[in-house]
Amino acid sequence: MARVWLIVELLAIFVGLPLGYRFSPVRIPALPLLWLVAGYAWWQLWRDKSFDRGRLWNSTPLGGQLIFMMPIFAVVAVMLWVGVRWLAPQLEWSFVREHPAFWAAVMVLYPVLSVYPQGLLYRAFFLHRYAGLFPQTRLGGWALLVASAAAFGFLHIIFRNSLAVVLTFFGGILFAWRYAETGSLFVSGFEHALYGCWLFTVGLGGFFYHGVWPQPK
């Protein structure tokens, strides 16, 4: 029965909610809903004695991870910049140029208000809560990471464009792996924030910003 409940919970939170939000006839603020669901995840983790609460922050591994993290980020950042410059030059640095104060606010607030609750829900909660649904093997461990990334990518259907879904799926694999490798939501969130802030900076933020999505049809 517990296994059935976990499957129902997983489908409700990670499939049902994004679909409901995507097709809702009512415009719902995205961040408060994210915080509400992340609050549920935090409550479940906090009452679970088998979960190491230190994982919810644990900044210690960051220094040792930067040497591996930053070269990957540099390559991806250049690829994204070249892609924008080549395929959509009108977007290049558009957010910084047109709304510098808002851009600065996003650089500060996005990691706190958006990245951390997403990491709590899609990394800490998902990887702990649903680990028992996957075989306890190396292959099963990777399947769990991919499932986490798939759920993270699927969340972004609310922005109504395939680019957001594809980029966040691959980003989700990296962020989930980083969390599993370090046992640190802080380190995984730091990496997530790097990529997210760069997307806004280079000009792709419109694909990930609730405020520009059209009214439901």
Side-chain angles (χ1 to χ4, degrees), residues 168-184:
T168 51
F169 169 70
F170 287 107
I173 293 177
L174 178 60
F175 309 147
W177 176 82
R178 190 74 64 187
Y179 172 78
E181 183 75 6
T182 63
S184 169

Side-chain angles (χ1 to χ4, degrees), residues 74-160:
V75 171
V76 175
V78 170
M79 290 174 62
L80 289 171
W81 169 63
V82 170
V84 171
R85 188 176 181 84
W86 181 33
L87 298 174
Q90 74 280 7
L91 296 179
E92 186 182 8
W93 318 120
S94 56
F95 191 24
V96 182
R97 288 186 284 103
E98 297 170 13
H99 307 283
F102 189 22
W103 169 82
V106 168
M107 295 303 101
V108 174
L109 296 177
Y110 167 72
V112 178
L113 300 182
S114 183
V115 169
Y116 190 82
Q118 288 181 61
L120 176 64
L121 185 58
Y122 286 88
R123 261 68 77 182
F125 177 73
F126 193 103
L127 296 182
H128 179 79
R129 182 81 162 171
Y130 306 118
L133 300 178
F134 295 81
Q136 300 303 301
T137 63
R138 185 175 182 83
L139 183 60
W142 273 105
L144 177 61
L145 296 183
V146 172
S148 166
F152 184 57
F154 188 73
L155 167 68
H156 291 78
I157 66 169
I158 68 173
F159 298 122
R160 303 174 178 232

